[in-house]
Amino acid sequence: MTTTPLPPNGKPRRRQAQKDKTPDAHTGSMPHPSAHATSLESIEILPRTPLSTRTPRRVQAGWSPNEDGHAEEVELSLLGEEERRQAAADLTVEEEQAYLSQADGKRPMSSRDKRAIVLLIILYLIQGFPLGLALGSVPFILREHLSYSEIAVFSLAGYPYSLKLLWSPIVDSMFFPTIGRRKSWIIPMQLVIGTIMLAISYHAEELMSNPGEHLYTLSAAFTALVFFSATQDIAVDGWALTLLSEDNLAFASTCQTIGLNTGYLMSYTVFLALNSEDFAKRWGIPRLSLATYLSFCAFMSFAVTIWLFFIKEDKESTSEDISIKAVYTTMWQICRLRHVQILLVVHLLAKIGWQANDAVTQLKMVEKGLGREDLAITVLIDFPFQIVGGWLAGKWSRGDKPLRPWIYAFWPRLALTLFFTLMVYYFPAPPISTGFFVMLVTATIAQSFAGTIQFGGISAFHTRISDPVVGGTYMTLLNTFTNLGGTWPRYFVLKGVDFFSVATCQIKDADLSVPAHECVSEHGKAACANLGGECITERDGYYIVSAICLGFGVLSVIFFLIPTARKLQAVPVSKWRIYS
């Protein structure tokens, strides 16, 4: 550690106080006009973040404003720049710099916060593994054998992640004090997740070889996997509120963005590429089976669980009753707040505009000839931009306008939804040209960057307004409706594609045309070919559903979402709280 040498006299260097240039009241001379400035002109309001319930930061008993560093920050923020320097006049040079940086809110991140960020990223990473499988790669593999309506049935496996609010009070209230409020749930959930993935790995090839017969078994297995992952997420969200200091709470959303996106990417596009036989032959590597990857995910889950045993969790101290009944009552009280109700409606409508794009576009591109490896390369190139987007979202969301990046990103996302719909319509016959592939990569980067910015912005807003007394429940309430906004339309979008589509199997030799919705899958096309026919899509319901979603999205953004978000952002943080 580097130390600063003392002057020859052995005493710390002190800033020489400036002489008071204000005329004496007894001299009769008129004071400078600036001396008449009111106190309102020097007020600087610093952005506030939710108070942490962590006890080491403050003395819980016998608290007084003069003893609390937080109160000192508020007091300093009421001083003008010159007044601050006069207040620091009798400090050493080093103390003065720390004093003024504290007043300006510019503090270096502590080593404790850095360790907390690493821990949160790893915990969110473990959650991303099952989500990437259930919501990404497995539906892609099933697309080769099932229709969109059957894929819609499997998509219900993602619903537990959007309905975790129903059991979040139990997670917030029941725990073993000797283990810790959050670790009491995170450790067993990760053990269960690892066990389920290990069990699925033993039967993966059998289940995926004929998914039509095992559709409900697959759906039940991955629904359970997502359920336990969602339960872990409740505990991690609550732990984030106490792991990070108040000044760095906005980085909780950055940790979630980086961790979840990394885990999701590994289970989605990276796995799809390594699972592709063409990709394996091209690069001379062995093909990665679903069973092997599930075993790897199980091992990672077990390893992180063992690591958690050596991490000490701070005891959360609160004077409020946090029994299960009390937390459910609190949750109801939160939902009764008028601005919370409006925010929940915003979440349910915010993602409809690009639902057809998120649920069907990539499936359509693969159906038209885009290889798994091409899709994987596209998303791999995009991944660093997601990380940068998560960091920028955390940076831009700090302050009193955390929803600003969320609002601004609406228009690029809607524009890119239209662009991707046109790309599907004009998708060239394989092989894909370099120019078209570059355009696809660029559009994918722009789309995911805008989505990451929105995710980081809304997560930072949730962190800012959540009451830390019931942190897990409050955060889960808000995140549940965020996830539900992207989940509930998916089933209807996939069903709608089949509903509006008109496809026939034309058998030329028999001069027969048979309606066949199964023509959207490789299995259905092969069945038609075995009859000596050819699948002809007369009307693709994807374009109709995409137009409906996009039209609704534009109208809702203009007339409801953006104006409402700006009003909610202006609501004082205290109005969102129940206890603190």
Side-chain angles (χ1 to χ4, degrees), residues 128-143 151 154-155 158 208 222 226 264-265 267-269 271-272 358-359 362-363 375 490:
F129 288 155
L131 294 178
L133 289 170
L135 305 179
S137 56
V138 173
F140 255 95
I141 298 174
L142 295 178
R143 187 207 61 82
I151 295 176
F154 181 83
S155 71
M208 300 304 294
F222 279 95
V226 173
Y264 193 92
L265 172 78
S267 293
Y268 185 16
T269 52
F271 168 71
L272 280 180
D358 288 353
Q362 290 185 341
L363 295 174
L375 177 64
R490 185 178 296 265

PDB file of all heavy atoms in Angstrom, residues 128-143 151 154-155 158 208 222 226 264-265 267-269 271-272 358-359 362-363 375 490:
ATOM      1  N   GLY A 128     -29.451 -18.969 -16.042  1.00  0.00           N
ATOM      2  CA  GLY A 128     -29.547 -18.871 -17.498  1.00  0.00           C
ATOM      3  C   GLY A 128     -29.457 -20.209 -18.209  1.00  0.00           C
ATOM      4  O   GLY A 128     -29.977 -20.364 -19.328  1.00  0.00           O
ATOM      5  N   PHE A 129     -28.806 -21.200 -17.587  1.00  0.00           N
ATOM      6  CA  PHE A 129     -28.659 -22.512 -18.230  1.00  0.00           C
ATOM      7  C   PHE A 129     -30.009 -23.166 -18.530  1.00  0.00           C
ATOM      8  O   PHE A 129     -30.294 -23.497 -19.695  1.00  0.00           O
ATOM      9  CB  PHE A 129     -27.803 -23.431 -17.357  1.00  0.00           C
ATOM     10  CG  PHE A 129     -26.344 -23.071 -17.334  1.00  0.00           C
ATOM     11  CD1 PHE A 129     -25.539 -23.430 -16.270  1.00  0.00           C
ATOM     12  CD2 PHE A 129     -25.770 -22.370 -18.378  1.00  0.00           C
ATOM     13  CE1 PHE A 129     -24.192 -23.105 -16.243  1.00  0.00           C
ATOM     14  CE2 PHE A 129     -24.419 -22.033 -18.369  1.00  0.00           C
ATOM     15  CZ  PHE A 129     -23.628 -22.404 -17.294  1.00  0.00           C
ATOM     16  N   PRO A 130     -30.874 -23.408 -17.541  1.00  0.00           N
ATOM     17  CA  PRO A 130     -32.159 -24.049 -17.860  1.00  0.00           C
ATOM     18  C   PRO A 130     -33.077 -23.170 -18.695  1.00  0.00           C
ATOM     19  O   PRO A 130     -33.854 -23.682 -19.514  1.00  0.00           O
ATOM     20  CB  PRO A 130     -32.767 -24.333 -16.477  1.00  0.00           C
ATOM     21  CG  PRO A 130     -32.097 -23.384 -15.555  1.00  0.00           C
ATOM     22  CD  PRO A 130     -30.711 -23.197 -16.092  1.00  0.00           C
ATOM     23  N   LEU A 131     -32.991 -21.845 -18.534  1.00  0.00           N
ATOM     24  CA  LEU A 131     -33.851 -20.959 -19.322  1.00  0.00           C
ATOM     25  C   LEU A 131     -33.466 -20.988 -20.791  1.00  0.00           C
ATOM     26  O   LEU A 131     -34.327 -20.967 -21.671  1.00  0.00           O
ATOM     27  CB  LEU A 131     -33.764 -19.526 -18.779  1.00  0.00           C
ATOM     28  CG  LEU A 131     -34.330 -19.302 -17.373  1.00  0.00           C
ATOM     29  CD1 LEU A 131     -34.139 -17.861 -16.943  1.00  0.00           C
ATOM     30  CD2 LEU A 131     -35.794 -19.681 -17.314  1.00  0.00           C
ATOM     31  N   GLY A 132     -32.176 -21.036 -21.072  1.00  0.00           N
ATOM     32  CA  GLY A 132     -31.730 -21.107 -22.465  1.00  0.00           C
ATOM     33  C   GLY A 132     -32.173 -22.388 -23.142  1.00  0.00           C
ATOM     34  O   GLY A 132     -32.472 -22.402 -24.345  1.00  0.00           O
ATOM     35  N   LEU A 133     -32.212 -23.476 -22.383  1.00  0.00           N
ATOM     36  CA  LEU A 133     -32.688 -24.745 -22.933  1.00  0.00           C
ATOM     37  C   LEU A 133     -34.196 -24.734 -23.150  1.00  0.00           C
ATOM     38  O   LEU A 133     -34.687 -25.080 -24.229  1.00  0.00           O
ATOM     39  CB  LEU A 133     -32.305 -25.890 -21.986  1.00  0.00           C
ATOM     40  CG  LEU A 133     -30.822 -26.262 -21.907  1.00  0.00           C
ATOM     41  CD1 LEU A 133     -30.571 -27.230 -20.763  1.00  0.00           C
ATOM     42  CD2 LEU A 133     -30.342 -26.870 -23.223  1.00  0.00           C
ATOM     43  N   ALA A 134     -34.945 -24.315 -22.119  1.00  0.00           N
ATOM     44  CA  ALA A 134     -36.404 -24.393 -22.180  1.00  0.00           C
ATOM     45  C   ALA A 134     -37.000 -23.383 -23.159  1.00  0.00           C
ATOM     46  O   ALA A 134     -37.993 -23.682 -23.828  1.00  0.00           O
ATOM     47  CB  ALA A 134     -36.998 -24.181 -20.788  1.00  0.00           C
ATOM     48  N   LEU A 135     -36.421 -22.201 -23.247  1.00  0.00           N
ATOM     49  CA  LEU A 135     -36.995 -21.146 -24.085  1.00  0.00           C
ATOM     50  C   LEU A 135     -36.274 -20.962 -25.407  1.00  0.00           C
ATOM     51  O   LEU A 135     -36.760 -20.215 -26.263  1.00  0.00           O
ATOM     52  CB  LEU A 135     -36.979 -19.806 -23.318  1.00  0.00           C
ATOM     53  CG  LEU A 135     -37.665 -19.806 -21.944  1.00  0.00           C
ATOM     54  CD1 LEU A 135     -37.548 -18.434 -21.294  1.00  0.00           C
ATOM     55  CD2 LEU A 135     -39.112 -20.222 -22.066  1.00  0.00           C
ATOM     56  N   GLY A 136     -35.135 -21.633 -25.590  1.00  0.00           N
ATOM     57  CA  GLY A 136     -34.353 -21.413 -26.797  1.00  0.00           C
ATOM     58  C   GLY A 136     -34.060 -22.653 -27.602  1.00  0.00           C
ATOM     59  O   GLY A 136     -34.712 -22.947 -28.609  1.00  0.00           O
ATOM     60  N   SER A 137     -33.077 -23.436 -27.173  1.00  0.00           N
ATOM     61  CA  SER A 137     -32.552 -24.517 -28.009  1.00  0.00           C
ATOM     62  C   SER A 137     -33.527 -25.685 -28.166  1.00  0.00           C
ATOM     63  O   SER A 137     -33.661 -26.240 -29.265  1.00  0.00           O
ATOM     64  CB  SER A 137     -31.227 -25.020 -27.425  1.00  0.00           C
ATOM     65  OG  SER A 137     -31.388 -25.436 -26.081  1.00  0.00           O
ATOM     66  N   VAL A 138     -34.218 -26.083 -27.100  1.00  0.00           N
ATOM     67  CA  VAL A 138     -35.137 -27.228 -27.209  1.00  0.00           C
ATOM     68  C   VAL A 138     -36.284 -26.940 -28.183  1.00  0.00           C
ATOM     69  O   VAL A 138     -36.600 -27.797 -29.027  1.00  0.00           O
ATOM     70  CB  VAL A 138     -35.660 -27.635 -25.817  1.00  0.00           C
ATOM     71  CG1 VAL A 138     -36.734 -28.708 -25.939  1.00  0.00           C
ATOM     72  CG2 VAL A 138     -34.512 -28.152 -24.949  1.00  0.00           C
ATOM     73  N   PRO A 139     -36.942 -25.763 -28.141  1.00  0.00           N
ATOM     74  CA  PRO A 139     -37.947 -25.477 -29.174  1.00  0.00           C
ATOM     75  C   PRO A 139     -37.386 -25.519 -30.587  1.00  0.00           C
ATOM     76  O   PRO A 139     -38.091 -25.949 -31.522  1.00  0.00           O
ATOM     77  CB  PRO A 139     -38.438 -24.071 -28.808  1.00  0.00           C
ATOM     78  CG  PRO A 139     -38.221 -23.971 -27.336  1.00  0.00           C
ATOM     79  CD  PRO A 139     -36.955 -24.724 -27.082  1.00  0.00           C
ATOM     80  N   PHE A 140     -36.124 -25.119 -30.768  1.00  0.00           N
ATOM     81  CA  PHE A 140     -35.515 -25.198 -32.100  1.00  0.00           C
ATOM     82  C   PHE A 140     -35.389 -26.639 -32.562  1.00  0.00           C
ATOM     83  O   PHE A 140     -35.656 -26.962 -33.731  1.00  0.00           O
ATOM     84  CB  PHE A 140     -34.134 -24.533 -32.078  1.00  0.00           C
ATOM     85  CG  PHE A 140     -34.113 -23.199 -32.738  1.00  0.00           C
ATOM     86  CD1 PHE A 140     -34.267 -22.050 -31.997  1.00  0.00           C
ATOM     87  CD2 PHE A 140     -33.945 -23.077 -34.110  1.00  0.00           C
ATOM     88  CE1 PHE A 140     -34.252 -20.813 -32.591  1.00  0.00           C
ATOM     89  CE2 PHE A 140     -33.930 -21.846 -34.718  1.00  0.00           C
ATOM     90  CZ  PHE A 140     -34.085 -20.700 -33.958  1.00  0.00           C
ATOM     91  N   ILE A 141     -34.959 -27.509 -31.656  1.00  0.00           N
ATOM     92  CA  ILE A 141     -34.834 -28.919 -32.017  1.00  0.00           C
ATOM     93  C   ILE A 141     -36.209 -29.534 -32.274  1.00  0.00           C
ATOM     94  O   ILE A 141     -36.390 -30.332 -33.206  1.00  0.00           O
ATOM     95  CB  ILE A 141     -34.091 -29.678 -30.900  1.00  0.00           C
ATOM     96  CG1 ILE A 141     -32.677 -29.115 -30.738  1.00  0.00           C
ATOM     97  CG2 ILE A 141     -34.026 -31.168 -31.204  1.00  0.00           C
ATOM     98  CD1 ILE A 141     -31.913 -29.708 -29.568  1.00  0.00           C
ATOM     99  N   LEU A 142     -37.187 -29.133 -31.457  1.00  0.00           N
ATOM    100  CA  LEU A 142     -38.541 -29.663 -31.629  1.00  0.00           C
ATOM    101  C   LEU A 142     -39.174 -29.191 -32.925  1.00  0.00           C
ATOM    102  O   LEU A 142     -40.067 -29.853 -33.467  1.00  0.00           O
ATOM    103  CB  LEU A 142     -39.421 -29.253 -30.446  1.00  0.00           C
ATOM    104  CG  LEU A 142     -39.049 -29.827 -29.070  1.00  0.00           C
ATOM    105  CD1 LEU A 142     -40.000 -29.290 -28.001  1.00  0.00           C
ATOM    106  CD2 LEU A 142     -39.076 -31.350 -29.089  1.00  0.00           C
ATOM    107  N   ARG A 143     -38.747 -28.049 -33.444  1.00  0.00           N
ATOM    108  CA  ARG A 143     -39.339 -27.501 -34.664  1.00  0.00           C
ATOM    109  C   ARG A 143     -39.198 -28.460 -35.837  1.00  0.00           C
ATOM    110  O   ARG A 143     -40.025 -28.458 -36.762  1.00  0.00           O
ATOM    111  CB  ARG A 143     -38.670 -26.160 -34.994  1.00  0.00           C
ATOM    112  CG  ARG A 143     -39.320 -25.405 -36.143  1.00  0.00           C
ATOM    113  CD  ARG A 143     -38.308 -24.510 -36.819  1.00  0.00           C
ATOM    114  NE  ARG A 143     -37.211 -25.276 -37.386  1.00  0.00           N
ATOM    115  CZ  ARG A 143     -37.256 -25.890 -38.568  1.00  0.00           C
ATOM    116  NH1 ARG A 143     -38.364 -25.841 -39.306  1.00  0.00           N
ATOM    117  NH2 ARG A 143     -36.218 -26.543 -39.025  1.00  0.00           N
ATOM    118  N   ILE A 151     -45.460 -26.746 -30.569  1.00  0.00           N
ATOM    119  CA  ILE A 151     -44.394 -25.991 -29.901  1.00  0.00           C
ATOM    120  C   ILE A 151     -44.989 -25.029 -28.878  1.00  0.00           C
ATOM    121  O   ILE A 151     -44.393 -24.760 -27.828  1.00  0.00           O
ATOM    122  CB  ILE A 151     -43.542 -25.231 -30.942  1.00  0.00           C
ATOM    123  CG1 ILE A 151     -42.803 -26.230 -31.848  1.00  0.00           C
ATOM    124  CG2 ILE A 151     -42.539 -24.313 -30.255  1.00  0.00           C
ATOM    125  CD1 ILE A 151     -42.027 -25.574 -32.966  1.00  0.00           C
ATOM    126  N   PHE A 154     -45.294 -26.733 -25.582  1.00  0.00           N
ATOM    127  CA  PHE A 154     -44.024 -26.792 -24.857  1.00  0.00           C
ATOM    128  C   PHE A 154     -43.639 -25.420 -24.303  1.00  0.00           C
ATOM    129  O   PHE A 154     -42.978 -25.326 -23.258  1.00  0.00           O
ATOM    130  CB  PHE A 154     -42.913 -27.309 -25.771  1.00  0.00           C
ATOM    131  CG  PHE A 154     -41.571 -27.413 -25.090  1.00  0.00           C
ATOM    132  CD1 PHE A 154     -41.263 -28.518 -24.322  1.00  0.00           C
ATOM    133  CD2 PHE A 154     -40.640 -26.393 -25.203  1.00  0.00           C
ATOM    134  CE1 PHE A 154     -40.035 -28.612 -23.673  1.00  0.00           C
ATOM    135  CE2 PHE A 154     -39.417 -26.474 -24.571  1.00  0.00           C
ATOM    136  CZ  PHE A 154     -39.111 -27.594 -23.805  1.00  0.00           C
ATOM    137  N   SER A 155     -44.038 -24.341 -24.993  1.00  0.00           N
ATOM    138  CA  SER A 155     -43.684 -22.992 -24.532  1.00  0.00           C
ATOM    139  C   SER A 155     -44.285 -22.666 -23.169  1.00  0.00           C
ATOM    140  O   SER A 155     -43.820 -21.749 -22.489  1.00  0.00           O
ATOM    141  CB  SER A 155     -44.130 -21.946 -25.561  1.00  0.00           C
ATOM    142  OG  SER A 155     -45.546 -21.817 -25.568  1.00  0.00           O
ATOM    143  N   GLY A 158     -42.190 -22.169 -19.859  1.00  0.00           N
ATOM    144  CA  GLY A 158     -41.600 -20.918 -19.392  1.00  0.00           C
ATOM    145  C   GLY A 158     -42.473 -20.117 -18.457  1.00  0.00           C
ATOM    146  O   GLY A 158     -42.021 -19.135 -17.860  1.00  0.00           O
ATOM    147  N   MET A 208     -35.982 -36.907 -27.310  1.00  0.00           N
ATOM    148  CA  MET A 208     -35.870 -35.997 -28.445  1.00  0.00           C
ATOM    149  C   MET A 208     -35.958 -36.705 -29.786  1.00  0.00           C
ATOM    150  O   MET A 208     -36.207 -36.063 -30.810  1.00  0.00           O
ATOM    151  CB  MET A 208     -34.543 -35.230 -28.365  1.00  0.00           C
ATOM    152  CG  MET A 208     -34.378 -34.397 -27.100  1.00  0.00           C
ATOM    153  SD  MET A 208     -35.714 -33.209 -26.838  1.00  0.00           S
ATOM    154  CE  MET A 208     -35.450 -32.104 -28.212  1.00  0.00           C
ATOM    155  N   PHE A 222     -39.257 -29.866 -18.215  1.00  0.00           N
ATOM    156  CA  PHE A 222     -38.670 -28.523 -18.320  1.00  0.00           C
ATOM    157  C   PHE A 222     -39.489 -27.492 -17.549  1.00  0.00           C
ATOM    158  O   PHE A 222     -38.950 -26.469 -17.123  1.00  0.00           O
ATOM    159  CB  PHE A 222     -38.529 -28.139 -19.791  1.00  0.00           C
ATOM    160  CG  PHE A 222     -37.321 -28.727 -20.444  1.00  0.00           C
ATOM    161  CD1 PHE A 222     -37.407 -29.919 -21.155  1.00  0.00           C
ATOM    162  CD2 PHE A 222     -36.090 -28.117 -20.329  1.00  0.00           C
ATOM    163  CE1 PHE A 222     -36.293 -30.479 -21.748  1.00  0.00           C
ATOM    164  CE2 PHE A 222     -34.965 -28.666 -20.920  1.00  0.00           C
ATOM    165  CZ  PHE A 222     -35.057 -29.848 -21.623  1.00  0.00           C
ATOM    166  N   VAL A 226     -37.694 -25.019 -14.879  1.00  0.00           N
ATOM    167  CA  VAL A 226     -37.886 -23.566 -14.858  1.00  0.00           C
ATOM    168  C   VAL A 226     -38.479 -23.125 -13.522  1.00  0.00           C
ATOM    169  O   VAL A 226     -38.136 -22.049 -13.001  1.00  0.00           O
ATOM    170  CB  VAL A 226     -38.785 -23.137 -16.025  1.00  0.00           C
ATOM    171  CG1 VAL A 226     -39.129 -21.653 -15.932  1.00  0.00           C
ATOM    172  CG2 VAL A 226     -38.092 -23.414 -17.359  1.00  0.00           C
ATOM    173  N   TYR A 264     -27.877 -17.997 -20.833  1.00  0.00           N
ATOM    174  CA  TYR A 264     -28.851 -18.223 -21.906  1.00  0.00           C
ATOM    175  C   TYR A 264     -28.144 -18.464 -23.239  1.00  0.00           C
ATOM    176  O   TYR A 264     -28.527 -19.351 -24.010  1.00  0.00           O
ATOM    177  CB  TYR A 264     -29.774 -17.006 -22.007  1.00  0.00           C
ATOM    178  CG  TYR A 264     -31.006 -17.226 -22.845  1.00  0.00           C
ATOM    179  CD1 TYR A 264     -32.202 -17.653 -22.279  1.00  0.00           C
ATOM    180  CD2 TYR A 264     -30.992 -16.999 -24.213  1.00  0.00           C
ATOM    181  CE1 TYR A 264     -33.342 -17.853 -23.043  1.00  0.00           C
ATOM    182  CE2 TYR A 264     -32.118 -17.196 -24.999  1.00  0.00           C
ATOM    183  CZ  TYR A 264     -33.288 -17.620 -24.395  1.00  0.00           C
ATOM    184  OH  TYR A 264     -34.404 -17.813 -25.165  1.00  0.00           O
ATOM    185  N   LEU A 265     -27.098 -17.673 -23.505  1.00  0.00           N
ATOM    186  CA  LEU A 265     -26.343 -17.827 -24.752  1.00  0.00           C
ATOM    187  C   LEU A 265     -25.694 -19.199 -24.842  1.00  0.00           C
ATOM    188  O   LEU A 265     -25.753 -19.867 -25.881  1.00  0.00           O
ATOM    189  CB  LEU A 265     -25.280 -16.731 -24.844  1.00  0.00           C
ATOM    190  CG  LEU A 265     -24.290 -16.870 -25.997  1.00  0.00           C
ATOM    191  CD1 LEU A 265     -24.924 -16.427 -27.306  1.00  0.00           C
ATOM    192  CD2 LEU A 265     -23.026 -16.067 -25.739  1.00  0.00           C
ATOM    193  N   SER A 267     -26.600 -21.981 -23.416  1.00  0.00           N
ATOM    194  CA  SER A 267     -27.592 -23.049 -23.581  1.00  0.00           C
ATOM    195  C   SER A 267     -28.382 -22.930 -24.869  1.00  0.00           C
ATOM    196  O   SER A 267     -29.034 -23.899 -25.270  1.00  0.00           O
ATOM    197  CB  SER A 267     -28.570 -23.028 -22.397  1.00  0.00           C
ATOM    198  OG  SER A 267     -27.922 -23.373 -21.206  1.00  0.00           O
ATOM    199  N   TYR A 268     -28.318 -21.779 -25.493  1.00  0.00           N
ATOM    200  CA  TYR A 268     -29.115 -21.558 -26.713  1.00  0.00           C
ATOM    201  C   TYR A 268     -28.236 -21.696 -27.954  1.00  0.00           C
ATOM    202  O   TYR A 268     -28.117 -22.785 -28.529  1.00  0.00           O
ATOM    203  CB  TYR A 268     -29.773 -20.193 -26.620  1.00  0.00           C
ATOM    204  CG  TYR A 268     -30.729 -19.860 -27.749  1.00  0.00           C
ATOM    205  CD1 TYR A 268     -31.235 -20.838 -28.593  1.00  0.00           C
ATOM    206  CD2 TYR A 268     -31.123 -18.544 -27.968  1.00  0.00           C
ATOM    207  CE1 TYR A 268     -32.105 -20.526 -29.628  1.00  0.00           C
ATOM    208  CE2 TYR A 268     -31.997 -18.224 -28.992  1.00  0.00           C
ATOM    209  CZ  TYR A 268     -32.483 -19.208 -29.818  1.00  0.00           C
ATOM    210  OH  TYR A 268     -33.341 -18.893 -30.839  1.00  0.00           O
ATOM    211  N   THR A 269     -27.610 -20.627 -28.340  1.00  0.00           N
ATOM    212  CA  THR A 269     -26.912 -20.640 -29.628  1.00  0.00           C
ATOM    213  C   THR A 269     -25.614 -21.440 -29.613  1.00  0.00           C
ATOM    214  O   THR A 269     -25.285 -22.121 -30.590  1.00  0.00           O
ATOM    215  CB  THR A 269     -26.616 -19.196 -30.061  1.00  0.00           C
ATOM    216  OG1 THR A 269     -25.963 -18.522 -28.987  1.00  0.00           O
ATOM    217  CG2 THR A 269     -27.889 -18.455 -30.382  1.00  0.00           C
ATOM    218  N   PHE A 271     -24.876 -24.023 -27.726  1.00  0.00           N
ATOM    219  CA  PHE A 271     -25.237 -25.438 -27.745  1.00  0.00           C
ATOM    220  C   PHE A 271     -25.789 -25.858 -29.107  1.00  0.00           C
ATOM    221  O   PHE A 271     -25.456 -26.931 -29.614  1.00  0.00           O
ATOM    222  CB  PHE A 271     -26.266 -25.740 -26.654  1.00  0.00           C
ATOM    223  CG  PHE A 271     -26.886 -27.091 -26.795  1.00  0.00           C
ATOM    224  CD1 PHE A 271     -26.167 -28.243 -26.538  1.00  0.00           C
ATOM    225  CD2 PHE A 271     -28.204 -27.227 -27.220  1.00  0.00           C
ATOM    226  CE1 PHE A 271     -26.738 -29.500 -26.688  1.00  0.00           C
ATOM    227  CE2 PHE A 271     -28.786 -28.471 -27.375  1.00  0.00           C
ATOM    228  CZ  PHE A 271     -28.049 -29.617 -27.108  1.00  0.00           C
ATOM    229  N   LEU A 272     -26.655 -25.020 -29.708  1.00  0.00           N
ATOM    230  CA  LEU A 272     -27.213 -25.361 -31.020  1.00  0.00           C
ATOM    231  C   LEU A 272     -26.117 -25.549 -32.058  1.00  0.00           C
ATOM    232  O   LEU A 272     -26.190 -26.449 -32.905  1.00  0.00           O
ATOM    233  CB  LEU A 272     -28.190 -24.279 -31.474  1.00  0.00           C
ATOM    234  CG  LEU A 272     -29.597 -24.310 -30.885  1.00  0.00           C
ATOM    235  CD1 LEU A 272     -30.419 -23.163 -31.443  1.00  0.00           C
ATOM    236  CD2 LEU A 272     -30.292 -25.635 -31.160  1.00  0.00           C
ATOM    237  N   ASP A 358     -39.803 -12.116 -31.653  1.00  0.00           N
ATOM    238  CA  ASP A 358     -39.061 -12.901 -30.667  1.00  0.00           C
ATOM    239  C   ASP A 358     -39.408 -14.390 -30.721  1.00  0.00           C
ATOM    240  O   ASP A 358     -38.536 -15.241 -30.550  1.00  0.00           O
ATOM    241  CB  ASP A 358     -39.349 -12.366 -29.259  1.00  0.00           C
ATOM    242  CG  ASP A 358     -38.686 -11.025 -29.003  1.00  0.00           C
ATOM    243  OD1 ASP A 358     -37.901 -10.583 -29.855  1.00  0.00           O
ATOM    244  OD2 ASP A 358     -38.974 -10.410 -27.961  1.00  0.00           O
ATOM    245  N   ALA A 359     -40.680 -14.708 -30.968  1.00  0.00           N
ATOM    246  CA  ALA A 359     -41.122 -16.098 -30.872  1.00  0.00           C
ATOM    247  C   ALA A 359     -40.945 -16.887 -32.164  1.00  0.00           C
ATOM    248  O   ALA A 359     -40.721 -18.107 -32.114  1.00  0.00           O
ATOM    249  CB  ALA A 359     -42.596 -16.143 -30.442  1.00  0.00           C
ATOM    250  N   GLN A 362     -36.748 -16.303 -35.863  1.00  0.00           N
ATOM    251  CA  GLN A 362     -35.595 -17.186 -36.051  1.00  0.00           C
ATOM    252  C   GLN A 362     -36.027 -18.579 -36.498  1.00  0.00           C
ATOM    253  O   GLN A 362     -35.329 -19.219 -37.301  1.00  0.00           O
ATOM    254  CB  GLN A 362     -34.791 -17.262 -34.754  1.00  0.00           C
ATOM    255  CG  GLN A 362     -34.053 -15.964 -34.432  1.00  0.00           C
ATOM    256  CD  GLN A 362     -33.167 -16.081 -33.212  1.00  0.00           C
ATOM    257  OE1 GLN A 362     -33.342 -16.988 -32.387  1.00  0.00           O
ATOM    258  NE2 GLN A 362     -32.224 -15.172 -33.060  1.00  0.00           N
ATOM    259  N   LEU A 363     -37.156 -19.063 -36.001  1.00  0.00           N
ATOM    260  CA  LEU A 363     -37.667 -20.348 -36.473  1.00  0.00           C
ATOM    261  C   LEU A 363     -37.965 -20.297 -37.961  1.00  0.00           C
ATOM    262  O   LEU A 363     -37.697 -21.252 -38.700  1.00  0.00           O
ATOM    263  CB  LEU A 363     -38.924 -20.729 -35.688  1.00  0.00           C
ATOM    264  CG  LEU A 363     -38.766 -21.013 -34.189  1.00  0.00           C
ATOM    265  CD1 LEU A 363     -40.129 -21.233 -33.552  1.00  0.00           C
ATOM    266  CD2 LEU A 363     -37.874 -22.218 -33.962  1.00  0.00           C
ATOM    267  N   LEU A 375     -26.744 -19.280 -37.337  1.00  0.00           N
ATOM    268  CA  LEU A 375     -27.442 -18.603 -36.258  1.00  0.00           C
ATOM    269  C   LEU A 375     -26.538 -18.460 -35.042  1.00  0.00           C
ATOM    270  O   LEU A 375     -26.516 -17.414 -34.384  1.00  0.00           O
ATOM    271  CB  LEU A 375     -28.703 -19.395 -35.879  1.00  0.00           C
ATOM    272  CG  LEU A 375     -29.526 -18.859 -34.714  1.00  0.00           C
ATOM    273  CD1 LEU A 375     -30.096 -17.484 -35.043  1.00  0.00           C
ATOM    274  CD2 LEU A 375     -30.653 -19.826 -34.366  1.00  0.00           C
ATOM    275  N   ARG A 490     -46.748 -15.253 -26.056  1.00  0.00           N
ATOM    276  CA  ARG A 490     -46.021 -16.207 -26.902  1.00  0.00           C
ATOM    277  C   ARG A 490     -46.893 -17.382 -27.330  1.00  0.00           C
ATOM    278  O   ARG A 490     -46.864 -17.795 -28.494  1.00  0.00           O
ATOM    279  CB  ARG A 490     -44.782 -16.702 -26.150  1.00  0.00           C
ATOM    280  CG  ARG A 490     -43.871 -17.610 -26.967  1.00  0.00           C
ATOM    281  CD  ARG A 490     -42.658 -17.988 -26.147  1.00  0.00           C
ATOM    282  NE  ARG A 490     -41.855 -16.820 -25.826  1.00  0.00           N
ATOM    283  CZ  ARG A 490     -40.800 -16.414 -26.533  1.00  0.00           C
ATOM    284  NH1 ARG A 490     -40.439 -17.106 -27.603  1.00  0.00           N
ATOM    285  NH2 ARG A 490     -40.123 -15.358 -26.179  1.00  0.00           N
TER     286      ARG A 490
END
